[in-house]
Amino acid sequence: METKALYKVPEAMSLLSLSRTVIYELMRAGRLRSVRQGRTRLIPASAIAEYVALLESESLGRAA
């Protein structure tokens, strides 16, 4: 998959293997940043990387 600066919600769903509902819950909770372009909600590639890093740090915190 090509690297993009911004991903639409269905693309982020595919990248993260999460449902639409979970993606929107994460955005509402502030765990996954997003931006709006008109009526479209877009997720920056950096926000996806930050979310994965957050999951990794939480996983390491539980393992310790």
Side-chain angles (χ1 to χ4, degrees):
M1 182 178 263
E2 76 178 65
T3 303
K4 302 164 82 172
L6 296 168
Y7 292 94
K8 292 181 179 179
V9 170
E11 295 169 324
M13 290 167 51
S14 176
L15 285 170
L16 295 169
S17 299
L18 298 172
S19 71
R20 176 180 297 272
T21 301
V22 171
I23 294 286
Y24 280 102
E25 285 175 359
L26 291 170
M27 288 189 293
R28 250 189 311 279
R31 291 175 57 89
L32 181 63
R33 290 184 299 108
S34 66
V35 296
R36 287 192 74 103
Q37 173 61 46
R39 295 178 62 189
T40 305
R41 180 65 60 182
L42 299 167
I43 302 166
S46 61
I48 292 172
E50 289 168 9
Y51 177 68
V52 171
L54 173 67
L55 291 177
E56 289 175 339
S57 69
E58 288 177 349
S59 177
L60 290 174
R62 289 186 188 139

